[in-house]
Amino acid sequence: MISVHDGGAFDAVGRLAAFRREFHRCLTARGDALFELADALLCGDAPVRSLVELSLVGEHRRGHGSLYAALNRGRIDIERLRTAVAAVPLPRAADGRIVLAVDVTCWLRPEAHTCPERVLCHTYGRGKDTHIGVPGWPYSFVTALEAGRTSWTAPLDARRLAPGDDAATVTAGQLRDVVRRLIAAGQWQPGDPDVWIVADAGYDGPRLAFLLADLPVQVLVRMRSDRVLRRPAPPRLPATTGRPRRHGGEFIFGDPASWGDPDVATTTDTRLYGTATARAWHRLHPRLTHRTAWTAQHGPLPIIEGTVILLTVDRLPSGATAKPVWLWWSQATATDAEVDLLWQAFLRRFDIEHTFRMLKQTLGWTSPKLRDPHAADRWTWLVLAAYTQLRLARTAASDLRRPWERPAPPERLSPARVRRAFRHLRAKAGCPAAAPKPSRPGPGRPPGHPNRHRAARHDVHIVTAATSNKPNSNTKKTKTPNSPRPRRTG
């Protein structure tokens, strides 16, 4: 097993070779074919457009039929591979802490009617500025973020969301497993700063903080601008009868009159955003009800206090209108320095979009036309293992730039440029895969005998208000009224 403490003893090529050996041990069936498939993914010159074209790469010594055969019938010890990826040296924030970003991206399969376990994936921009649902396989990714502007992140885990899964519960379990693996690998030790988890507005931050309260983590999420939180309950007056109050006055995001004076206010001059102003209010909590994710919670619901941060900037680099950003942090109070680090960490969360673009457009993560979702899981982990090798080769790769590209210093090479030089590093890191054995193709289907075994067709799983708690119900979704959206009260 790879140890994170071996970084001083091995150079970049040595760490890369150690990870490649461990990665090969994680491939338990058709391992050599899967390993060479990952190498072909890394040694290709052009973006991956189809899976079968990888067999034309010189590093792939097997036939094109072995590609799909390896994905459909191969086996990967994913838990061991997760442990190996967690043991690789991780990027750190400016203060030395680990910052994890969680987000969901989709492998769209709109016309694949024979693929099971498809759900409607939220997409934006496929029409004219419209939000539509497209059938596909959603994957939840957990990545470690670096300090400063960069196109690099460190993907640590990927998990496909099955039909009927609660995103908050699955994400909490995924983050728990990732943090435990990091602790077991020595990435976090007692006395180190807590791990920060950064998420966008699609996640329920208070619930994530509640489910991960026993771990050394702190949660930072963006909240919608129509939320309403509550202040702490006022002190109980003497000789007062009745049940004590659990909630104080309202803090309405859309009503500045309800905010009051902030507990912390900072101003920072930035190059891209102009003047960034952050205001923070302490000890605010949502008013929870026994609905949705809290339905199974017995007894009184918890009071989950946190710090609300309002970030405003003068301008955006794209020229769009700069809207205020609301953040919720799982700690009840925050200092001036913490407020500045928090909103800067949230801006770094968008680096994960560069990783998604690299996985999809360059490494061809969503290019294969696979039918089995388990084969899609195996391909996903092959792509993540390949990207991890790019991270390990980052400091040893040379800049093989095109004549029209600008020179880049070694520490600023993008993942695509490191991929160009991986073919030269592969010879130094070694290839533990065995050479293919000579074989001949099978006879195939006799002429004049078409395939009479039609593949089963599967419906797309649709979650509605009536079927969210009853997966087997066939109740149709009711029409949404055209009245304005009411203000949220929790």
Side-chain angles (χ1 to χ4, degrees):
M1 186 60 62
I2 308 170
S3 174
V4 298
H5 303 291
D6 296 339
F10 293 101
D11 57 359
V13 177
R15 291 193 297 268
L16 175 61
F19 178 81
R20 286 169 62 82
R21 290 192 296 269
E22 180 63 22
F23 171 49
H24 184 262
R25 298 187 189 102
C26 297
L27 308 177
T28 56
R30 295 182 180 265
D32 293 337
L34 290 172
F35 190 89
E36 287 197 0
L37 176 57
D39 272 3
L41 190 65
L42 289 170
C43 297
D45 295 330
V48 178
R49 301 303 181 189
S50 66
L51 188 63
V52 70
E53 289 182 357
L54 291 177
S55 62
L56 303 178
V57 180
E59 284 72 14
H60 191 273
R61 299 172 293 180
R62 289 163 169 81
H64 60 273
S66 65
L67 295 175
Y68 282 97
L71 289 179
N72 291 325
R73 295 189 290 272
R75 292 293 181 269
I76 301 178
D77 190 349
I78 295 181
E79 290 302 322
R80 182 171 182 175
L81 184 54
R82 284 188 172 113
T83 304
V85 172
V88 174
L90 290 181
R92 306 276 176 158
D95 57 350
R97 73 173 70 244
I98 299 175
V99 181
L100 302 179
V102 58
D103 201 358
V104 174
T105 186
C106 301
W107 184 340
L108 301 181
R109 301 301 308 274
E111 303 296 335
H113 301 288
T114 59
C115 292
E117 301 184 13
R118 291 184 304 158
V119 300
L120 282 181
C121 302
H122 174 78
T123 59
Y124 176 77
R126 295 179 68 89
K128 186 178 180 181
D129 295 336
T130 57
H131 299 259
I132 60 177
V134 179
W137 292 318
Y139 279 83
S140 175
F141 280 79
V142 177
T143 63
L145 303 179
E146 294 189 4
R149 299 181 62 201
T150 178
S151 58
W152 287 91
T153 63
L156 299 176
D157 191 47
R159 187 169 300 181
R160 179 172 49 87
L161 300 179
D165 283 348
D166 178 57
T169 303
V170 173
T171 302
Q174 184 182 18
L175 289 171
R176 178 179 297 276
D177 295 339
V178 169
V179 173
R180 286 178 174 176
R181 285 194 295 268
L182 293 179
I183 295 175
Q187 303 279 17
W188 185 92
Q189 298 179 358
D192 293 345
D194 289 344
V195 178
W196 283 1
I197 297 174
V198 186
D200 207 0
Y203 292 88
D204 188 351
R207 179 157 180 82
L208 281 179
F210 175 77
L211 296 176
L212 302 175
D214 58 325
L215 296 177
V217 300
Q218 299 173 11
V219 180
L220 175 68
V221 298
R222 182 170 68 93
M223 281 191 165
R224 292 170 44 144
S225 59
D226 61 348
R227 292 297 300 267
V228 178
L229 301 185
R230 295 302 186 99
R231 302 181 187 274
R236 187 178 177 86
L237 299 177
T240 302
T241 60
R243 187 176 66 174
R245 295 182 59 182
R246 302 187 72 236
H247 311 284
E250 290 184 338
F251 185 94
I252 307 172
F253 287 7
D255 184 11
S258 64
W259 299 349
D261 296 332
D263 296 304
V264 175
T266 64
T267 302
T268 307
D269 293 330
T270 63
R271 179 176 60 89
L272 295 177
Y273 305 98
T275 302
T277 303
R279 289 173 286 175
W281 292 267
H282 295 162
R283 301 189 62 189
L284 296 178
H285 64 274
R287 182 179 180 179
L288 305 178
T289 58
H290 287 278
R291 292 182 298 179
T292 60
W294 301 96
T295 303
Q297 188 74 19
H298 299 287
L301 294 176
I303 300 294
I304 307 176
E305 292 186 336
T307 299
V308 171
I309 301 173
L310 173 60
L311 174 64
T312 56
V313 297
D314 292 339
R315 62 180 184 273
L316 294 179
S318 61
T321 303
K323 298 181 180 180
V325 177
W326 291 93
L327 305 176
W328 185 88
W329 191 38
S330 59
Q331 296 297 312
T333 60
T335 63
D336 296 3
E338 288 176 335
V339 168
D340 286 337
L341 289 177
L342 287 169
W343 68 259
Q344 293 174 19
F346 176 76
L347 294 183
R348 295 274 63 79
R349 191 204 71 84
F350 295 97
D351 293 341
I352 195 175
E353 302 298 335
H354 298 288
T355 300
F356 290 159
R357 188 180 298 110
M358 175 68 183
L359 297 182
K360 292 182 178 181
Q361 298 182 1
T362 303
L363 298 183
W365 172 48
T366 58
S367 296
K369 307 303 181 184
L370 301 174
R371 179 183 299 174
D372 186 6
H374 301 289
D377 296 341
R378 285 189 283 270
W379 171 248
T380 299
W381 274 102
L382 283 182
V383 174
L384 289 188
Y387 189 89
T388 303
Q389 295 181 57
L390 290 181
R391 289 201 299 116
L392 292 173
R394 179 179 176 183
T395 57
S398 56
D399 186 14
L400 302 180
R401 67 182 183 90
R402 302 290 189 258
W404 55 85
E405 293 177 342
R406 295 181 179 179
E411 66 275 5
R412 298 295 297 176
L413 292 180
S414 64
R417 291 200 183 186
V418 174
R419 179 173 177 252
R420 295 175 189 170
F422 189 85
R423 174 172 293 170
H424 306 283
L425 296 175
R426 177 182 179 272
K428 301 178 182 179
C431 180
K437 299 179 180 179
S439 62
R440 63 180 61 183
R445 185 179 297 112
H449 294 74
N451 183 15
R452 301 185 184 276
H453 301 281
R454 294 175 60 90
R457 302 174 75 88
H458 303 272
D459 295 333
V460 180
H461 181 78
I462 301 176
V463 178
T464 63
T467 62
S468 58
N469 296 326
K470 299 179 181 179
N472 297 326
S473 176
N474 294 323
T475 306
K476 294 184 179 180
K477 183 178 180 180
T478 58
K479 184 178 180 180
T480 304
N482 295 326
S483 59
R485 182 173 57 190
R487 190 194 71 182
R488 298 184 63 176
T489 58

